[in-house]
Amino acid sequence: MDAIKQYMQPKWWLTGVGGLFTIFMLLTYAEIMNAAETGWGADYTANDAFYEKAWAATYLVIAIICVVSGQFVEGRSQAILAMTIGGGNILNFILVFLAAGDLEYGFTENPANWAPPMIMATGLLLSGYLHLEEE
Amino acid sequence: MDKEMGKLDVKSIFHPKWWLIVVGAIFTIIALLTFMNGEESAKTAWGDDYTANDVFYEKAWSSNVLWVAIIALASGFLIEGRALSIIAMAVSGGFILSFILQNLANGDLGYGYLEPANAAPGMVAAAGLLLSGYLHLEDE
């Protein structure tokens, strides 16, 4: 159990997940990664491209909160934040799936796109839970 | 002495705990309403000729706003001291940056929610949160 706790430090999970989210969101926003094309294929619209960039900008808020929580918050407060962010990510994922319905949106249809963020969310949730009793 | 009292009043009004809870609660309600009424949101954003994709994005985007609102609520209720101030500043600073990026992405598409009247309340909330965090940054 101690070994698991050692590897599941909320500080590093928050910093790592926040860092990865920041990179992916900046790549999406700059259209280096074409999220609209991944989502809908080559015939995406200007509105789709706008929404992908605006959505990435909102993800960037969460990425910033992750990095700041990992680097500038400690103890129980940090564990609570890791659990809240991880739990919120899972809830967000369920709602996006419900919203997508039968639209065949690329990011919800392909497990290769949604599995990594879910692993990160689970890691964050677990890291927070394991360190919840810290001072 | 009066100046000191004035400072105390401003610090009392701008307490990150209550700003995070109130802003988190308001955005939770707005996000849930947007998710449940995706068609209306898309109509407000683009007029009558909105698409099914627009409705999906309004719902998906609102679920991200809900995520940030939950972080704000949990921080307000469960975190104290300097950590609370830091989170208040991170949430609000991130929100302001996100708003700027959304405006740049919008260009001349004319997305309805970025019109000044629709965007102003969110900006006031972000400014209040930022100030509340800054004023209490030295709290234990």
Side-chain angles (χ1 to χ4, degrees):
Chain A
M1 191 66 171
D2 281 348
I4 295 172
K5 277 185 83 169
Q6 192 184 339
Y7 286 109
M8 302 301 286
Q9 289 283 350
K11 178 184 180 71
W12 299 117
W13 274 87
L14 282 163
T15 306
V17 170
L20 284 172
F21 267 39
T22 300
I23 292 166
F24 278 110
M25 291 314 126
L26 289 176
L27 290 173
T28 301
Y29 188 85
E31 293 184 287
I32 295 167
M33 285 168 61
N34 192 335
E37 190 172 6
T38 307
W40 309 110
D43 56 342
Y44 64 88
T45 66
N47 281 19
D48 297 335
F50 158 72
Y51 272 121
E52 288 292 344
K53 292 175 85 168
W55 198 4
T58 310
Y59 264 108
L60 193 59
V61 180
I62 292 152
I64 289 168
I65 296 169
C66 278
V67 173
V68 168
S69 304
Q71 292 298 308
F72 299 106
V73 177
E74 290 177 344
R76 182 174 164 81
S77 297
Q78 192 176 59
I80 290 169
L81 283 163
M83 287 186 74
T84 307
I85 294 167
N89 196 354
I90 293 168
L91 173 65
N92 169 260
F93 180 73
I94 293 166
L95 291 177
V96 170
F97 249 87
L98 288 174
D102 55 4
L103 285 175
E104 297 184 358
Y105 181 58
F107 283 101
T108 52
E109 291 292 307
N110 187 350
N113 287 324
W114 56 255
M118 278 304 95
I119 292 168
M120 291 183 214
T122 308
L124 271 175
L125 195 62
L126 185 60
S127 73
Y129 177 74
L130 288 173
H131 292 265
L132 203 53
E133 299 309 319
E134 286 188 359
E135 290 297 313
Chain B
M1 182 68 180
D2 284 346
K3 200 174 173 183
E4 196 60 31
M5 289 293 286
K7 271 186 186 173
L8 284 174
D9 284 341
V10 173
K11 278 189 82 170
S12 303
I13 293 165
F14 286 96
H15 198 290
K17 179 182 180 73
W18 300 116
W19 273 85
L20 280 164
I21 290 171
V22 171
V23 170
I26 291 170
F27 274 87
T28 297
I29 293 166
I30 291 171
L32 287 174
L33 288 173
T34 305
F35 189 87
M36 290 186 292
N37 302 298
E39 285 82 3
E40 279 302 311
S41 301
K43 194 173 176 181
T44 305
W46 305 110
D48 287 330
D49 56 343
Y50 64 87
T51 67
N53 284 17
D54 297 334
V55 175
F56 157 72
Y57 276 119
E58 286 296 327
K59 289 182 168 187
W61 197 359
S62 74
S63 74
N64 266 55
V65 173
L66 181 64
W67 187 2
V68 179
I70 289 170
I71 294 169
L73 275 175
S75 303
F77 279 116
L78 303 173
I79 293 174
E80 291 177 343
R82 184 173 164 81
L84 189 71
S85 301
I86 290 170
I87 293 304
M89 291 183 76
V91 170
S92 54
F95 185 82
I96 292 167
L97 172 65
S98 158
F99 181 72
I100 293 167
L101 292 175
Q102 286 160 21
N103 266 285
L104 290 172
N106 182 36
D108 55 3
L109 281 176
Y111 181 66
Y113 284 106
L114 293 174
E115 298 294 328
N118 287 326
M123 279 299 102
V124 171
L129 258 181
L130 192 67
L131 185 60
S132 74
Y134 177 74
L135 288 173
H136 290 264
L137 204 52
E138 300 308 319
D139 286 3
E140 289 297 314

